Amino acid sequence: MSCKKCRYDKCIACNMNPELVRSTRGTKDRSITPSENCLTTDEEQFAQLDTESPSRSEALAASRYEDLPRIPSGADLEREGRRWITEHYIEIEASLNSRRKIMYTDAKMMNVFNSVCKCPYEKRHLKPLNYKNYSGLSRADFIMLYDYATAFLDFKKLETSEKHTLYRYVCGVDSLMNSAYFTSCLAYDDKWVVLSSGEYICIDPMPMTGDEPWAQHLFSNKEDLQKYKSIIPWKAGLWSTIIVPFCELNVQFEEFCLLKALTCWHISRYKFGDNGRKVCHKQRDILIRCLHDVCSELVGDPSERVGNLILFISCVFQQMLEMINSLVMLTFFDIFDCDAVLKEFFAHESY
């Protein structure tokens, strides 16, 4: 049996509180209440620590605190906040997909509310792109994307001109990135470029450019030839510049929602003022942390994964410039009958 000092040292090592030691312990003529009897039993257990193993002693000490509520740490609260942000962008992307499902498919309304809509289309919904009827985004598309853009966190903190800028780039980024995502979900193996409207272009074999010597004989007039040359080759070119790099990353829906929002903020910041850039920098940092959290649940090295996803933004940025140049020409020369909102975009001097 250990001496009192040794037992005392062991009790202190187990985080027992010396202030709880009762000076009246051992008095025989004192009555003991049931609650005190329980305390005495516990004390006797700790008094016999010399016969217990260290692991047993630690477990006994820890058992006193296991039922106490745990106070979240600062890191836990930050991660919980980032999880809320991630769920927010997942929700607004899924909502956009649901709107497209209603707009472009024969889905029944009761099926729209079944689950989170990660992709609005099934393969049976896809139809070949008819360049003769192509008119770009419709007014319904602009309304859907307006709801999506205004749901961005801190959107209200932007100046009016900055809101307009972010909205325009959201329309462009959505056209490129959703095409890549829908293709990866539905038709990558078939080598179809799936557009956000549910139309597709087959690139096996690659469509003609329209510059071939014999191409003009396939069109009834020069206007049709010019429209074809302005639309089909550029859309088909997305296969190698956007879709293949995107599909090689095997992007999951949660990653896509965050990456798309991050791309919108990143590309827009070049046109923002000082206030807008402060808002943009804050949102970019938050989204990168959220992306890191999501990637940490999917892969072993989240830092490398996040880096590869961020590098993809450069592909989108380059194609955004080419898309703007193409649409400027299409709208300026009235090559196709587009919505007035699209013409307004390119009449704005910030482009």
Side-chain angles (χ1 to χ4, degrees):
M1 190 71 174
S2 301
C3 66
K4 290 184 178 181
K5 182 179 184 305
C6 293
R7 292 199 300 273
Y8 176 81
D9 291 340
K10 288 184 178 181
C11 291
I12 295 300
C14 292
N15 296 321
M16 292 184 65
N17 190 346
E19 296 178 0
L20 297 180
V21 176
R22 294 179 289 115
S23 60
T24 57
R25 179 175 177 174
T27 305
K28 295 182 179 180
D29 58 349
R30 179 177 174 272
S31 61
I32 300 176
T33 63
S35 60
E36 289 175 335
N37 187 49
C38 294
L39 182 60
T40 303
T41 302
D42 287 344
E43 290 174 345
E44 289 174 351
Q45 289 178 339
F46 280 96
Q48 297 175 2
L49 287 176
D50 57 314
T51 61
E52 304 280 358
S53 64
S55 58
R56 166 74 174 170
S57 303
E58 293 172 1
L60 189 58
S63 65
R64 286 175 168 264
Y65 304 100
E66 62 183 7
D67 294 331
L68 295 177
R70 178 176 174 272
I71 300 176
S73 65
D76 291 336
L77 293 175
E78 289 180 4
R79 190 178 183 90
E80 184 178 346
R82 293 196 299 270
R83 182 59 195 168
W84 180 89
I85 292 171
T86 299
E87 291 175 351
H88 173 76
Y89 281 102
I90 290 174
E91 180 181 351
I92 64 175
E93 183 66 35
S95 179
L96 177 60
N97 285 339
S98 295
R99 287 172 167 82
R100 285 188 167 125
K101 191 172 187 177
I102 296 170
M103 179 74 182
Y104 292 114
T105 75
D106 57 356
K108 296 181 179 180
M109 286 302 301
M110 63 180 297
N111 296 329
V112 174
F113 303 99
N114 283 345
S115 60
V116 175
C117 186
K118 295 184 178 182
C119 182
Y121 308 114
E122 299 174 16
K123 197 167 184 179
R124 64 183 179 86
H125 294 138
L126 305 181
K127 52 186 180 295
L129 174 65
N130 184 343
Y131 74 92
K132 292 183 179 181
N133 298 329
Y134 181 78
S135 59
L137 296 176
S138 66
R139 184 58 60 96
D141 291 316
F142 286 117
I143 294 172
M144 290 188 287
L145 290 169
Y146 171 83
D147 292 337
Y148 172 78
T150 55
F152 273 30
L153 299 179
D154 280 353
F155 181 85
K156 294 181 179 180
K157 294 183 179 180
L158 298 174
E159 303 292 340
T160 300
S161 61
E162 293 167 341
K163 292 177 181 178
H164 188 225
T165 297
L166 178 59
Y167 171 61
R168 286 181 293 138
Y169 281 113
V170 162
C171 293
V173 170
D174 177 86
S175 176
L176 296 172
M177 292 191 64
N178 281 70
S179 178
Y181 179 71
F182 295 158
T183 300
S184 70
C185 292
L186 300 170
Y188 183 66
D189 292 337
D190 297 306
K191 295 187 177 180
W192 293 356
V193 175
V194 180
L195 307 182
S196 57
S197 60
E199 299 168 298
Y200 73 89
I201 300 173
C202 181
I203 55 91
D204 187 21
M206 183 65 72
M208 66 179 185
T209 64
D211 292 325
E212 294 83 357
W214 41 265
Q216 58 183 342
H217 301 295
L218 301 177
F219 298 88
S220 58
N221 53 64
K222 291 183 178 180
E223 288 75 16
D224 285 349
L225 174 60
Q226 185 61 42
K227 188 172 184 179
Y228 175 92
K229 290 170 60 177
S230 302
I231 297 172
I232 300 300
W234 182 81
K235 293 287 188 183
L238 294 177
W239 178 263
S240 59
T241 57
I242 289 286
I243 293 173
V244 171
F246 181 87
C247 292
E248 287 178 347
L249 289 170
N250 191 27
V251 180
Q252 303 302 305
F253 181 67
E254 294 78 5
E255 295 175 312
F256 172 74
C257 297
L258 295 170
L259 181 62
K260 179 181 173 182
L262 176 61
T263 303
C264 292
W265 280 113
H266 178 75
I267 294 179
S268 300
R269 77 182 182 91
Y270 296 102
K271 300 293 184 179
F272 283 172
D274 292 339
N275 172 69
R277 289 186 179 182
K278 290 179 181 178
V279 174
C280 178
H281 290 162
K282 174 187 173 184
Q283 290 303 314
R284 285 195 310 165
D285 290 344
I286 292 173
L287 286 167
I288 290 173
R289 291 191 180 97
C290 291
L291 196 56
H292 188 277
D293 291 344
V294 171
C295 291
S296 65
E297 299 174 0
L298 300 174
V299 297
D301 188 354
S303 298
E304 181 180 358
R305 175 67 173 173
V306 172
N308 290 333
L309 292 173
I310 291 177
L311 285 175
F312 177 74
I313 295 178
S314 62
C315 298
V316 180
F317 184 77
Q318 180 62 36
Q319 288 306 304
M320 178 73 75
L321 297 177
E322 294 189 18
M323 181 176 68
I324 290 172
N325 292 334
S326 176
L327 290 176
V328 166
M329 182 183 69
L330 290 170
T331 55
F332 182 79
F333 292 103
D334 290 326
I335 294 176
F336 68 85
D337 186 21
C338 63
D339 192 276
V341 174
L342 188 60
K343 291 184 177 181
E344 179 192 345
F345 279 0
F346 299 106
H348 199 276
E349 61 180 8
S350 66
Y351 257 130

